[in-house]
Amino acid sequence: MSNSYTTLWTNDLCRELERSGYAGRRLTMLFGGPHQSLPSFQRAGVQPGDHIYPVRAHRARLHVLGVLEVARIVPYEIAGSALPDDDYVKLLDWRPLKTGCVTEVLIGPPGAPLRFDTVVPGGLLERLTYTSRRGERLLKHVEDGRLIRSTSLQGIYRLAADSAEELDRLIRHDAPSGGADEV
């Protein structure tokens, strides 16, 4: 059974991606590392078949940006020789995501188009649930359907199945028909 996770992207990264024309592209690659600014997906327990939802906290709202279904996890130091040419080109194209010390590359088939305007509704935000070995927890710092602080999103966290399904419906329902080409 696959799991679903969120990873928090900074507002600076989102602005750069928007300015650089990444909106509408289908996410095919993510990068992980050893630091809080670029956390390790493998350390979080991510496996092939899992889904990663990049999210953004902006102006007391949570935005779900897209999804990547993980097909492979490759150590970054051998990515150049381990990836087929078309995946290596994608690695170069998604370099804005490659901040800090990169140790791993997640590769997957094209997901939903990358969007910066899909807001998680307040009701869903209030019931957004994460799970771990210690049990389930609601997203912290949510008041009256607004995200007061994003500290409980910093890192890579596994979503409860119901919350993952709701995020997936949200991004797939809001996805424009046709969409931009994947890169």
Side-chain angles (χ1 to χ4, degrees), residues 143-162:
E143 294 177 12
D144 300 323
R146 300 181 68 218
L147 184 62
I148 305 305
R149 287 194 306 265
S150 64
T151 54
S152 64
L153 289 164
Q154 294 172 352
I156 299 165
Y157 296 104
R158 186 167 43 122
L159 287 159
D162 290 348

Side-chain angles (χ1 to χ4, degrees), residues 121-136:
L124 174 53
L125 190 62
E126 289 179 348
R127 65 180 181 276
L128 197 64
T129 306
Y130 288 91
T131 186
S132 70
R133 288 184 293 254
R134 292 182 287 189
E136 292 191 347

Side-chain angles (χ1 to χ4, degrees), residues 32-52:
H35 303 296
Q36 184 177 356
S37 61
L38 190 67
S40 171
F41 290 95
Q42 288 182 305
R43 195 169 353 142
V46 173
Q47 299 289 319
D50 290 345
H51 293 87
I52 310 296

